[in-house]
Amino acid sequence: MQPKAKLINLIACAVITLASPVHAKTSLTEPQIASLLTAPDRPTDDAKRDDSRQPQKIIAFTGVGKGQHVLDFFAGGGWYSELFSNAVGPESKVYVQNDEVIWRFAEKGLNERAKDDRLTNIMRFDNMPIVDIRIPDDSLDLVFTALNYHDLFFTHSIQDGKKVALRDDVVDYQAALSTIKKAMKADATFIIIDHAAQVGSGYEAANTLHRIDPNIVKFHMNQAGFTLIEEAFYLRNPADDLS
């Protein structure tokens, strides 16, 4: 059985989920999610972003629950990684991956978040390409990435009018998705949240706007063998013209 896909498309952000439409796993309840967000040891700066990120809706959509194993790829500073760590419980694993580009921006924040061994169930893949991560086959219940899928195609930036190279070439998304899919259970879920670009804008939007056309993401997931089963629009901004 191949993992199926569920897609959340959020304008200003797009989310994709790959999963079986019927879950045998037990998801967190609304009160449990509320407890995650109000936990006394949750960083104050994290909570300040709840209004814009709407984690109560996103966490519910993921279907995450106790005992599950999660991959947060291109996790950045681990804002969602911490929520997943507390959601699944100490006996489960949350794999947190950042490649060489994301690591430049994530290192300080993630190290601060994880200091004093405060998130004991996370396993980090720091400064490591997706294809090099090592996760047991057929073990993941949830794969998640927020606001960074476009960075697979982020190769350069313009600083002080000059082009600064960040990668020699785009990431081989087919190899990356194949690596991830191999680690997923048959009923696993894959969710992508990202800044949406205009239809037909192509890959260059990843460099110029840090956005991506949701149709590109849907094509990639279909090509990788996933089936879209659901979209959501929690983060849509009607005032955003995607430019």
Side-chain angles (χ1 to χ4, degrees):
M1 177 181 175
Q2 295 292 341
K4 294 185 180 177
K6 192 179 163 183
L7 171 68
I8 303 182
N9 183 352
L10 319 177
I11 290 201
C13 294
V15 183
I16 295 189
T17 305
L18 316 182
S20 170
V22 178
H23 288 280
K25 298 184 283 284
T26 301
S27 304
L28 295 184
T29 64
E30 288 188 10
Q32 287 173 325
I33 295 172
S35 294
L36 280 184
L37 300 177
T38 57
D41 63 340
R42 188 178 182 220
T44 302
D45 286 344
D46 281 14
K48 290 177 180 178
R49 307 185 75 175
D50 286 353
D51 285 346
S52 62
R53 292 196 166 187
Q54 300 191 44
Q56 70 282 4
K57 294 180 179 179
I58 301 300
I59 292 293
F61 187 85
T62 69
V64 71
K66 295 293 183 184
Q68 294 186 23
H69 300 288
V70 178
L71 167 63
D72 189 359
F73 85 87
F74 282 9
W79 193 91
Y80 267 107
S81 305
E82 176 156 341
L83 292 176
F84 289 132
S85 172
N86 291 320
V88 301
E91 303 304 316
S92 298
K93 286 288 185 187
V94 176
Y95 301 95
V96 179
Q97 179 268 345
N98 287 296
D99 75 358
E100 69 276 13
V101 171
I102 309 299
W103 186 239
R104 297 184 187 190
F105 309 99
E107 180 177 3
K108 181 178 179 180
L110 187 57
N111 284 339
E112 176 67 21
R113 183 179 300 282
K115 72 178 182 180
D116 300 325
D117 201 28
R118 58 183 297 271
L119 302 174
T120 59
N121 61 349
I122 69 169
M123 177 176 291
R124 290 166 55 176
F125 300 115
D126 296 338
N127 195 22
M128 183 181 296
I130 295 171
V131 293
D132 290 342
I133 64 177
R134 293 294 177 263
I135 298 174
D137 292 355
D138 305 312
S139 65
L140 294 175
D141 298 283
L142 173 65
V143 176
F144 183 90
T145 186
L147 307 180
N148 283 330
Y149 187 87
H150 69 268
D151 286 313
L152 291 166
F153 313 100
F154 178 37
T155 58
H156 65 272
S157 64
I158 303 298
Q159 299 177 16
D160 297 325
K162 297 180 180 180
K163 182 177 178 179
V164 177
L166 298 171
R167 302 185 194 278
D168 293 332
D169 200 356
V170 298
V171 174
D172 183 343
Y173 73 87
Q174 291 176 302
L177 292 177
S178 178
T179 298
I180 292 170
K181 187 178 179 184
K182 187 177 180 184
M184 295 173 70
K185 295 178 180 178
D187 64 346
T189 299
F190 193 130
I191 294 185
I192 298 172
I193 303 175
D194 211 340
H195 305 286
Q198 293 176 345
V199 172
S201 54
Y203 291 108
E204 187 56 23
N207 291 311
T208 58
L209 299 174
H210 294 284
R211 294 177 177 253
I212 192 167
D213 177 352
N215 288 332
I216 291 176
V217 183
K218 293 177 184 180
F219 171 76
H220 290 173
M221 305 313 290
N222 182 68
Q223 187 181 42
F226 295 101
T227 302
L228 173 62
I229 62 172
E230 188 173 356
E231 296 186 62
F233 299 89
Y234 304 129
L235 306 181
R236 188 174 208 169
N237 175 8
D240 182 15
D241 67 3
L242 311 185
S243 65

